[in-house]
Every structure is written in structure tokens, then in C-alpha cells.
């Protein structure tokens, strides 16, 4: 069931997930489109999440933006000035590099795998900031099996930093390691299922990455006679039309529905890019998610040595990193 | 004491379920331009160079220990267009495979087949016959003949002599029956158990009974027949189809053909509900197979090459130089019946035996996916089930009256699940 409407206010709105935003020219969503988008959200009971660019919006947008309860996703250092005193706890700041100043309660840190390794100590320092840290690896498709041990060791090191904070009575939140400890079912991106994206052109997309692909003329491979890059799934005039929407849902993903790496993003854009099917995760996505899952298990076991902690959560020991390798056992 | 009863069934493929199927698309050219052919991009330009074939064989044999190539046996299949147009290349490929299997002491040595599905037109030619003699013990060849001359020539026509500017071939009005049927005796002499494939499209329905009986009269004991998966069916086709199959059932039973001749339309194992958990396997073998084309691109099945696809782009899973991108295979190897089926199929009371082609599913899908089952044959399958029920009820009763039913039940063959 749809719950969230993501509104990209500008073509250069900040990328906040796996896909980089390759669009460099400003193209603001027309204010009439914005109003219609908000109306759509209100009529369908959707929580609106505005995605801001790194430049200020014209004054007339402010009152429209604030005409409805919302969450703001904005580039680091560009906190939107809206004149509204109420700041949402759910607002999200997005950074592509490490900064000591975190303005929002939620930080999305977008790094390549190698940047993440280089900045591991600075990232660990952020755990104590009080903000929820969402680390998003932007080149997941480059991950190789030779890096498994490196990633495992990194998470083990971060487990040590997190454990120290728990010992001090804090409750740090770091998506790669602490989310799985509190989840008893899948909690994924759910693009096209619980959220949908409205782009500045007034069309809906499963997520911003599909809009980027369309704008960058990435062929959607649906017609070899007349190649097209149309990735839209409806517009504000005709509303939503998501073909094969069932394939975006967990119960139609043969690998994921039996998996317990509940913190996995299950990114359908990466699925589409790497396996060519929305419902099938790549080897890279599965392996990385399972390394995180197993590290979460280790952290949970260490925390429990200090006392009761989430007793209802069980993360069993497993001997594979990719469910595909043991699919016949499911 | 009663006569020992025999009811002929369609035979399983060699090493069924235990062999890796590897297909060379040696050419996209064919002498014919059959009207129902799913190969919409046949052309005279794309012929496999020897270097591509050799590099591909080396790639496959170099990866003997990979899970994709661990199966006990291998079927090297040659497909076109018409494969025998490239008999010299095929001969060279097969010699190289045999030599390499021996040199490498490969586990497929002496556990391989070369398999061909041919239109039969140049079957008698010296180069083809020399090849057959050389590889006789490791060969499986099927010639496609569609039935009576009228039925065959409705669809299986020669191509026009000149291709268009893109090298694409077009159908002529000249039927090919006489050019094929002359080679049937030679083929049956060399492959006495040989079966033929018959394809049924909308216009062919009235000729099913006479065509199957005609093929029996030619000495072909095994007729593998299916309706096309594409959405070509018209209102009322299912009822005409049912009527034809019932006529065929009467002819087979009343004429006693069931003892020595098989027709794949009739099977004891179709038309039952399927359990969503226990009967959840995929029908199609796409992804477990591997195909290569003239450009050296690899496919999960030939049906995913561009010349087989009306709309979608080819689903290329790698190439002979870089190997297989295993991510591109994951959707195929995680497919199951229920995930790709609409609810009406999951709940269908006569689901078993209802086939699908993963390539057609992909081509007809609304998105880029192999998880959307095309259901254009739904009414045709249901018609087949009704006629099939009639066939078996009639045959069982005949056996009972002849006091042969118990003997038949006690001796009948255990059937493996059908797979494409």
C-alpha cells in the first residue's frame, strides 16, 4: 500500500540513495505541478517527502511546500529555509563526504566502497552524534568476492565502536549494523509499493533513479524496433499505472521472500540494472546484505552479554552469503 | 492368457534431466520461411565463423568444474535457421569437440550427443550423409514434417529467392512438402525411432487428425505436436481444436494405433490441479541451457536471441570472451510456477501439462521480466484436456472390455515431469 510520495523539486535535487544524480542543469518543478502533486498526496493519504536541490527555491514555493505536513531531504549544508518553525524529526540530511556537523536527526552518507574504507574512523565517530546514520554504498555493483573479508573486517571494527557506545548506555543507530537487530521482518526500500516518486516533469517513477535513467536516455529494452527510455509509471493527469506491480512486492521475489537479511535495501533499481529483473537481487546485493546481517548477529550477541536486549529477535547462524547458492534448500 | 498390452508413449530425451543443453545458432538463414515461425529475424547475413565456435567450445570446456557445466552429460545442439546449411562448419565443430573432450579427459567424453532439428530438405546430400555416418552413435536428428501435403504447405513454404535490404527473408507461395517427404524413408532407416515436431496455429486446426494419421502412415511412430504459444488464437478455435482431437482420439483407439504410435497431445498426466508448493517447478529450461550466436553472444536459450524476439531486446547473458554474467542468469534460475503465473493459473483445475515458453513470456510481458506468464493458450489447453479425458476414458474402457486394463496399469512407465 502506498504511504509516501517523494517529490523531486528540481532536476538537481540531491541523490539520497544508491544512484547518483547525473543531472546538472537546474529544472524546477513548475509550481502548478507541485500543487497538483500535493493534492494527489492529500487525496491518497500519502506522507510527502520533498527532495531539495542545493540552491534556494523561489519565495512562492515556500508556502506551497509548507501547505502540508512533510519530510525534507536536503543536501548537507543546504537546510531549506521555509519560515516554518516546526522541524520534522524525520528530516534527512544527505552528504557525499564526511562532516562533523550533522544538522538533522537523520544523515544519509553516500560513499563509494573505497571511500568508506578510507573514512572508517571518521564514520565511527559519527555513531556518537545522536543522529541516525544511513550509510549508502554508491558503487555496490563493483563489489567483488575478493572484498568479502575486507567488508567483514570493517563491520567487525565498527561493531567494536558501537558496542562501546552501548556500554555507555547510548543507543546508536547505524543502518548497516543496528537495523537488523531490531527487525523481525523485511524492511526494505519498497519503491513502487509503499512509495512513489513525482519528478519535475509531472510524471511518476518507481524511484528517482528511474527518472535519472530516463533523462540520461538509458534504453528501457522494451522495444528493439523503437528504442525508448520512458520509465514513467503514470502522471498527474492519468494517475498511477504500474505494470507488473506484483513483481515489486516481497512475495513475488523468490530469493528475498525466504531471506532474513531484513535490513537489506532490496533496491529494485539495482536489481533491474544488474539482473534485468526487478524482483531478482544481484549477487553483490545479497552478499553485502548477508555480511551486514551476520555482523549484526555478532553485535547482538555481544550486547546480550551485558543483559537482556530485544529478546524476541533471533538471528540464526547460517553458512552462506548468497541465498541463490542454497536456493534448492528453500 | 491375454496379449501383452503396449501403449506407446512419447520418449524422454536422451539423458533427460542429466544433460547440459548447449546450442550453436550456426546460421539465421533457412531455405524456408514458415508462416508460423517464431524466428522473426531470420536473415542471410549472420553465419557463425569458425573462430567464434572454437572460442565458445574452449570457454565451455575450460569451465568444466563450474556448476553450470557440472551435469553428467551434454547435448550439443545445432539450430538455425536450418543448421544443415552449415554442415561443413558443424562437422568441424563436432570434430573439435570430440578431440578436445578426449585430450582434456573431460567428464563429457563419451557422454555426449549432437542434436539437430532440421527441415529435412538437404538431408540426403553427401555432406550431411557423410556427417551422419561419421557420428552415427552420438546423433539425434528430427525432421519436421507437418502432416499432409496440404497442411504442411499451408505454413512450411520456401522463402523468396532474394532477401530484402536488411537481409531478412520473406515467404513465397511454394510449399516444401515434396522436398521433405522424399527424405523421410532414408531418415527413418537411419533413425527408426525418429520423431517429428508438428506445430499447430489457428488455420491448421481442421487438419490435425488427418495430418497425424498421415505421419503415422509415413512410418513415423512418434509425433510431438503442440500449439503455438503466441497470441494468434481466434474465437471458437478451442472448440474446433477439441473436436479435432476427439476425432483423432477415435481414430487412434479404433484403429489400434495406440500400441505402436504416440501423439504427444494425449497424456495421462495432464489436466489435474497443481499444488502451489509441491508442484511449483518451472516448466521451461531457459537458463539451464546455454546458446551462442554468430557474434559470440551467449543466451539462456535461443528464444532470447534477437532474431527470436518480436519486441523486446535480446537477453544477452555474456559473450565468449568475457564469459557468463551470472547476475543475468539469476532470474531464470529462481523462476517457479506460481511466482510467474496469474491467479487464474494458480487456481486452475486443469493446470498440469499447460506449457509455457519463457522466451514468449518475456517477449509478451508488459515489463522487462521473465516473471510474467503469457496465457494465450489457456482455452486451447482446456480444450486439449477435455479431449484428452475423452481419449483416456475411451481407451480405458476398451482395455477393460479386452481384459487388459490391470496389465496396463501394472506395467506402465513411470513418467518424469515434463520440461521444455
Amino acid at each position: 500500500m502506498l504511504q509516501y510520495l517523494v517529490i523531486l523539486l528540481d532536476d538537481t535535487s540531491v541523490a539520497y540513495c544508491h544512484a547518483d544524480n547525473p543531472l546538472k542543469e537546474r529544472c524546477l518543478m513548475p509550481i502548478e505541478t507541485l500543487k497538483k502533486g500535493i493534492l494527489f498526496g492529500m487525496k491518497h493519504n500519502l506522507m510527502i517527502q520533498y527532495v531539495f536541490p542545493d540552491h534556494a527555491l523561489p519565495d512562492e514555493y515556500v508556502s506551497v511546500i509548507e501547505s502540508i505536513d512533510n519530510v525534507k531531504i536536503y543536501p548537507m549544508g543546504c537546510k531549506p529555509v521555509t519560515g516554518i518553525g516546526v522541524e520534522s524529526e524525520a528530516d534527512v540530511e544527505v552528504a557525499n563526504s564526511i562532516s562533523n556537523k550533522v544538522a538533522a536527526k537523520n544523515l544519509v552518507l553516500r560513499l563509494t566502497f573505497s571511500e568508506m574504507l578510507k573514512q572508517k574512523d571518521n564514520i565511527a565517530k559519527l555513531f556518537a552524534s545522536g543522529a541516525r546514520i544511513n550509510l549508502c554504498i554508491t558503487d555496490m555493483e563493483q563489489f567483488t568476492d575478493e572484498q568479502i573479508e575486507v567488508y567483514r573486517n570493517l563491520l567487525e571494527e565498527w561493531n567494536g565502536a558501537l558496542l562501546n557506545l552501548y556500554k555507555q548506555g547510548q543507543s546508536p543507530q547505524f543502518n548497516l549494523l543496528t537495523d537488523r537487530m531490531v527487525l523481525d521482518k523485511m524492511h526494505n526500500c519498497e519503491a513502487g509499493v509503499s512509495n512513489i516518486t513525482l519528478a519535475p516533469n509531472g510524471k511518476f517513477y518507481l524511484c528517482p533513479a528511474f527518472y535519472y535513467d530516463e533523462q540520461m536516455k538509458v534504453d528501457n529494452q522494451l522495444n528493439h524496433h523503437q528504442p525508448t527510455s520512458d520509465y514513467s509509471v503514470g502522471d498527474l493527469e492519468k494517475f498511477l499505472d504500474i505494470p507488473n506491480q506484483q513483481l515489486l512486492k516481497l512475495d513475488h521475489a523468490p530469493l528475498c521472500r525466504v531471506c532474513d537479511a531484513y535490513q537489506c535495501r532490496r533496491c529494485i533499481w539495482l536489481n533491474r540494472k544488474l539482473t534485468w529483473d526487478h524482483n531478482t537481487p544481484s549477487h553483490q546485493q545479497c552478499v553485502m546484505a548477508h555480511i551486514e546481517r551476520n555482523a549484526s548477529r555478532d553485535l547482538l550477541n555481544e550486547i546480550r552479554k551485558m543483559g537482556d536486549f530485544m529478546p524476541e529477535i533471533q538471528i540464526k547462524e547460517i553458512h552462506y552469503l548468497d541465498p541463490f547458492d542454497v536456493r534448492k534448500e528453500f | 492368457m491375454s496379449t501383452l498390452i503396449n501403449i506407446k508413449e512419447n520418449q524422454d530425451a536422451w539423458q533427460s534431466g542429466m544433460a547440459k543443453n548447449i546450442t550453436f545458432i550456426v546460421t539465421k538463414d533457412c531455405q524456408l520461411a514458415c508462416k508460423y515461425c517464431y524466428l522473426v529475424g531470420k536473415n542471410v547475413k549472420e553465419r557463425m565463423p569458425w573462430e567464434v565456435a572454437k572460442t565458445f567450445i574452449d570457454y565451455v570446456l575450460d569451465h568444466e568444474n563450474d556448476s553450470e557445466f557440472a551435469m553428467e552429460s551434454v547435448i550439443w545442439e545445432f539450430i538455425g535457421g536450418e543448421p544443415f546449411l552449415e554442415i561443413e562448419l558443424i562437422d568441424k565443430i563436432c570434430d573439435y569437440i570430440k578431440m578436445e573432450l578426449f585430450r582434456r579427459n573431460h567428464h563429457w567424453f563419451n557422454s555426449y550427443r549432437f542434436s539437430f532439428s532440421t527441415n529435412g530438405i538437404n538431408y540426403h546430400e553427401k555432406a550431411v550423409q557423410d556427417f551422419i555416418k561419421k557420428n552415427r552413435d552420438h546423433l539425434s536428428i528430427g525432421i519436421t514434417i507437418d502432416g499432409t501435403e496440404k497442411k504442411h504447405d499451408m505454413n512450411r513454404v520456401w522463402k523468396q529467392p532474394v532477401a530484402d535490404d536488411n537481409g531478412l527473408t520473406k515467404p513465397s507461395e511454394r510449399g516444401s512438402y515434396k522436398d521433405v517427404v522424399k527424405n523421410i524413408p532414408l531418415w527413418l532407416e537411419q533413425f527408426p525411432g525418429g520423431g517429428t515436431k508438428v506445430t499447430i496455429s489457428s488455420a491448421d486446426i481442421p487438419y490435425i487428425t488427418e495430418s497425424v494419421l498421415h505421419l503415422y502412415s509415413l512410418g513415423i511412430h512418434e509425433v510431438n505436436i503442440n500449439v503455438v504459444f503466441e497470441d494468434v488464437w481466434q474465437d471458437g478455435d478451442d472448440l474446433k481444436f477439441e473436436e479435432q482431437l476427439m476425432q483423432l482420439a477415435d481414430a487412434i483407439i479404433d484403429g489400434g494405433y495406440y500400441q505402436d504410435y504416440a501423439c504427444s497431445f494425449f497424456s495421462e498426466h495432464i489436466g489435474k490441479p497443481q499444488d502451489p508448493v509441491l508442484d511449483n517447478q518451472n516448466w521451461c529450461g531457459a537458463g539451464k541451457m546455454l546458446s551462442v550466436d554468430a557474434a559470440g553472444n551467449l543466451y539462456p536459450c535461443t528464444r532470447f536471441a534477437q532474431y527470436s524476439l518480436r519486441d523486446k531486446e535480446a537477453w544477452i547473458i555474456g559473450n565468449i570472451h568475457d564469459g557468463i554474467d551470472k547476475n543475468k542468469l539469476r532470474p531464470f534460475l529462481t523462476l517457479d510456477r506460481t511466482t510467474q503465473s496469474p491467479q487464474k493459473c494458480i487456481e486452475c483445475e486443469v493446470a498440469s501439462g499447460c506449457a509455457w515458453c519463457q522466451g514468449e513470456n518475456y517477449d509478451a510481458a508488459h515489463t522487462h521480466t521473465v516473471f510474467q506468464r503469457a496465457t494465450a493458450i489457456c482455452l486451447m489447453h482446456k480444450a486439449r484436456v477435455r479431449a484428452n479425458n475423452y481419449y483416456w476414458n475411451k481407451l480405458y474402457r476398451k482395455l477393460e472390455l479386452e481384459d487388459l486394463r490391470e496389465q496396463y496399469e501394472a506395467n506402465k512407465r513411470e513418467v518424469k515431469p515434463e520440461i521444455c
Side-chain angles (χ1 to χ4, degrees):
Chain A
M1 183 182 167
L2 273 183
Q3 293 173 282
Y4 303 99
L5 175 62
V6 178
I7 297 182
L8 302 179
L9 291 168
D10 190 276
D11 268 6
T12 62
S13 287
V14 64
Y16 59 90
C17 204
H18 290 296
D20 290 322
N21 182 357
L23 307 177
K24 303 300 175 203
E25 288 188 23
R26 293 179 184 182
C27 175
L28 194 60
M29 175 178 279
I31 199 155
E32 287 309 314
T33 304
L34 178 59
K35 286 177 183 171
K36 285 182 186 172
I38 292 169
L39 192 59
F40 177 88
M42 292 169 79
K43 286 182 177 177
H44 293 85
N45 278 333
L46 305 180
M47 166 58 80
I48 291 183
Q49 299 177 325
Y50 294 116
V51 189
F52 284 78
D54 64 0
H55 55 87
L57 301 180
D59 291 344
E60 67 263 32
Y61 278 69
V62 173
S63 60
V64 176
I65 283 170
E66 294 299 354
S67 64
I68 184 80
D69 186 23
N70 66 81
V71 168
K72 298 178 182 66
I73 301 171
Y74 57 91
M76 177 157 267
C78 302
K79 188 174 180 183
V81 179
T82 62
I84 301 292
V86 186
E87 186 176 310
S88 170
E89 291 269 308
D91 283 354
V92 179
E93 190 168 37
V94 183
N96 292 311
S97 60
I98 305 285
S99 168
N100 294 329
K101 285 187 183 174
V102 182
K105 293 275 169 61
N106 296 282
L107 174 69
V108 169
L109 189 54
R110 300 182 67 252
L111 298 174
T112 63
F113 190 78
S114 63
E115 286 167 344
M116 177 179 73
L117 291 175
K118 278 185 214 158
Q119 297 287 342
K120 61 180 183 178
D121 295 335
N122 290 326
I123 293 167
K125 286 176 190 166
L126 291 173
F127 298 159
S129 67
R132 173 181 162 77
I133 311 298
N134 292 284
L135 182 54
C136 182
I137 298 167
T138 55
D139 59 351
M140 189 187 272
E141 65 267 38
Q142 307 294 332
F143 185 80
T144 65
D145 284 357
E146 286 68 45
Q147 292 171 305
I148 288 173
E149 211 49 44
V150 176
Y151 195 37
R152 202 177 258 152
N153 291 338
L154 173 67
L155 295 185
E156 189 182 331
E157 206 173 316
W158 280 342
N159 266 353
L162 290 165
L163 189 61
N164 281 337
L165 292 172
Y166 279 102
K167 283 178 180 169
Q168 293 163 27
Q170 296 186 44
S171 297
Q173 288 191 54
F174 177 47
N175 65 325
L176 300 183
L177 289 165
T178 63
D179 282 6
R180 177 61 187 87
M181 293 196 304
V182 296
L183 290 171
D184 59 3
K185 62 180 180 183
M186 277 288 182
H187 185 76
N188 318 123
C189 164
E190 295 201 306
V193 178
S194 71
N195 62 83
I196 200 78
T197 294
L198 179 66
N201 63 2
K203 293 182 180 178
F204 291 111
Y205 296 85
L206 296 178
C207 82
F210 290 98
Y211 175 62
Y212 305 152
D213 279 352
E214 179 175 298
Q215 296 302 300
M216 298 307 288
K217 311 278 189 248
V218 176
D219 184 4
N220 70 12
Q221 301 173 292
L222 290 178
N223 189 327
H224 72 92
H225 302 290
Q226 293 174 306
T228 170
S229 305
D230 185 358
Y231 286 90
S232 65
V233 289
D235 59 41
L236 284 167
E237 306 305 322
K238 297 175 195 157
F239 297 115
L240 281 172
D241 176 18
I242 304 176
N244 278 332
Q245 189 183 21
Q246 78 281 2
L247 296 180
L248 305 176
K249 296 176 182 171
L250 183 64
D251 64 354
H252 277 69
L255 283 177
C256 304
R257 67 187 174 213
V258 292
C259 177
D260 75 346
Y262 296 146
Q263 86 297 341
C264 176
R265 297 224 174 188
R266 221 163 71 75
C267 171
I268 59 160
W269 175 76
L270 272 178
N271 291 356
R272 176 71 177 78
K273 185 178 178 184
L274 297 180
T275 72
W276 285 349
D277 232 314
H278 284 132
N279 69 344
T280 310
S282 62
H283 176 67
Q284 292 91 326
Q285 181 147 196
C286 287
V287 169
M288 294 186 87
H290 278 78
I291 295 171
E292 293 154 14
R293 172 222 183 263
N294 293 343
S296 297
R297 179 177 183 275
D298 294 341
L299 180 59
L300 184 62
N301 288 340
E302 287 301 314
I303 293 171
R304 282 177 175 165
K305 288 178 184 171
M306 298 186 288
D308 277 351
F309 183 83
M310 303 296 294
E312 68 280 15
I313 301 293
Q314 295 295 327
I315 309 177
K316 65 180 181 185
E317 186 172 15
I318 54 175
H319 300 284
Y320 58 85
L321 290 177
D322 186 349
F324 181 83
D325 296 336
V326 293
R327 64 192 183 280
K328 287 173 186 161
E329 295 170 21
F330 292 132
Chain B
M1 186 182 163
S2 58
T3 318
L4 196 63
I5 181 66
N6 175 55
I7 294 182
K8 184 167 172 60
E9 295 176 77
N10 293 76
Q11 298 302 299
D12 291 329
W14 177 76
Q15 290 288 78
S16 178
M18 292 187 290
K20 179 79 179 177
N21 198 304
I22 298 176
T23 307
F24 295 83
I25 305 172
V26 287
T27 178
K28 291 176 184 168
D29 191 14
C30 182
Q31 305 98 322
L32 306 184
C34 302
K35 292 174 185 170
Y36 53 49
C37 184
Y38 62 88
L39 300 172
V40 290
K42 285 207 298 288
N43 65 79
V44 297
K45 293 180 177 173
E46 295 177 76
R47 300 171 58 199
M48 182 174 284
W50 161 244
E51 278 309 316
V52 167
K54 179 180 179 300
T55 308
F56 175 63
I57 296 164
D58 289 341
Y59 166 76
V60 170
L61 299 185
D62 285 347
H63 291 78
E64 178 180 4
N65 297 322
D66 283 12
S67 56
E68 294 101 78
F69 302 112
M71 298 188 85
E72 192 176 297
S73 308
V74 63
I75 298 172
W76 304 96
E77 189 172 12
F78 297 87
I79 198 168
E82 166 51 37
F84 283 147
L85 287 176
E86 296 293 337
I87 187 62
E88 286 174 16
L89 171 69
I90 289 168
D91 189 40
K92 195 170 177 180
I93 288 173
C94 293
D95 282 352
Y96 185 70
I97 287 172
K98 288 182 285 187
M99 191 183 72
E100 283 297 297
L101 290 178
F102 175 74
R103 189 182 69 78
R104 294 166 185 253
N105 194 23
H106 195 287
H107 74 278
W108 287 340
F109 178 71
N110 222 21
S111 191
Y112 67 89
R113 279 285 184 282
F114 299 128
S115 175
F116 297 82
S117 183
T118 172
N119 61 30
I121 286 176
N122 59 357
Y123 186 81
H124 62 287
E125 289 176 3
K126 184 174 183 307
V128 175
Q129 286 300 309
D130 286 348
F131 174 82
I132 290 171
K133 282 176 195 138
K134 191 200 274 188
N135 295 285
R136 182 67 195 86
D137 294 337
H138 291 277
L139 271 186
S140 137
I141 299 179
I143 291 183
T144 301
I145 181 165
D146 248 2
T148 60
E149 182 168 3
K150 184 173 183 182
K151 154 81 174 86
H152 183 99
D153 285 350
M154 279 173 62
N155 285 305
R156 299 188 68 80
V157 294
W158 285 80
K159 70 178 179 185
Q160 290 179 11
V162 181
D164 70 13
D165 293 344
N166 298 318
L168 296 173
T169 55
K170 303 279 184 210
S172 70
E173 294 302 313
R174 183 184 155 205
S176 62
Y177 177 83
K178 287 190 171 65
D179 307 291
V180 179
V181 76
K182 68 181 183 190
N183 283 327
I184 296 296
L186 174 61
W187 169 58
L188 288 176
E189 184 190 322
Q190 293 170 328
F191 299 94
T196 192
K197 277 198 303 191
V198 178
T199 304
I200 303 296
S201 195
S202 180
D204 305 308
I205 293 172
Y207 308 102
I208 292 173
T209 302
E210 63 185 47
S211 288
V212 173
L213 296 177
H214 177 71
L215 294 171
Y216 289 172
S217 76
L218 292 176
I220 299 170
H221 286 245
E222 188 164 323
V223 177
N224 297 298
I225 188 165
N226 66 278
V227 297
V228 298
F229 291 107
E230 288 78 5
D231 190 7
V232 298
W233 305 106
Q234 298 174 9
D235 284 350
D237 276 353
D238 56 326
L239 298 178
K240 292 179 199 162
F241 183 54
E242 179 184 340
E243 191 183 317
Q244 272 294 308
L245 292 194
M246 287 176 64
Q247 280 182 26
L248 180 60
D250 287 340
I252 289 175
I253 294 169
D254 296 345
Y257 289 109
Y258 55 86
Q259 299 202 46
D260 296 313
Y261 296 85
C263 172
S264 61
F265 271 144
F266 301 121
S267 163
E268 277 185 290
H269 309 285
I270 69 164
K272 312 286 190 301
Q274 290 195 290
D275 186 280
V277 176
L278 300 175
D279 301 317
N280 199 25
Q281 67 274 25
N282 193 26
W283 177 278
C284 173
K288 294 173 186 161
M289 306 182 273
L290 180 66
S291 302
V292 61
D293 71 2
N297 289 321
L298 306 178
Y299 304 92
C301 156
T302 58
R303 193 63 174 73
F304 289 83
Q306 197 64 74
Y307 81 141
S308 300
L309 295 164
R310 294 182 306 276
D311 292 325
K312 297 285 193 322
E313 282 196 2
W315 194 303
I316 298 171
I317 59 168
N319 62 64
I320 54 174
H321 305 294
D322 302 325
I324 298 171
D325 175 353
K326 293 183 182 178
N327 273 332
K328 300 291 188 294
L329 269 182
R330 288 165 76 94
F332 294 91
L333 299 180
T334 54
L335 274 163
D336 58 56
R337 185 177 66 87
T338 55
T339 305
Q340 64 187 302
S341 296
Q343 199 60 29
K344 70 170 182 176
C345 297
I346 295 170
E347 292 170 358
C348 180
E349 292 288 327
V350 294
S352 63
C354 185
W356 61 84
C357 163
Q358 224 66 56
E360 174 57 21
N361 287 0
Y362 167 59
D363 210 1
H366 299 131
T367 58
H368 194 284
T369 185
V370 288
F371 283 86
Q372 184 189 340
R373 179 172 166 185
T375 58
I377 65 162
C378 176
L379 291 179
M380 303 303 285
H381 172 71
K382 287 174 176 167
R384 177 192 172 197
V385 168
R386 291 192 295 272
N388 186 60
N389 290 342
Y390 169 80
Y391 174 91
W392 287 103
N393 279 310
K394 178 166 178 165
L395 182 55
Y396 290 151
R397 187 61 180 156
K398 184 178 183 194
L399 294 178
E400 282 161 8
L401 294 174
E402 292 171 357
D403 203 19
L404 293 169
R405 177 75 191 271
E406 281 184 23
Q407 186 199 108
Y408 165 68
E409 292 294 340
N411 295 318
K412 71 181 175 187
R413 193 171 60 135
E414 194 177 330
V415 170
K416 296 178 186 173
E418 283 184 84
I419 194 162
C420 163

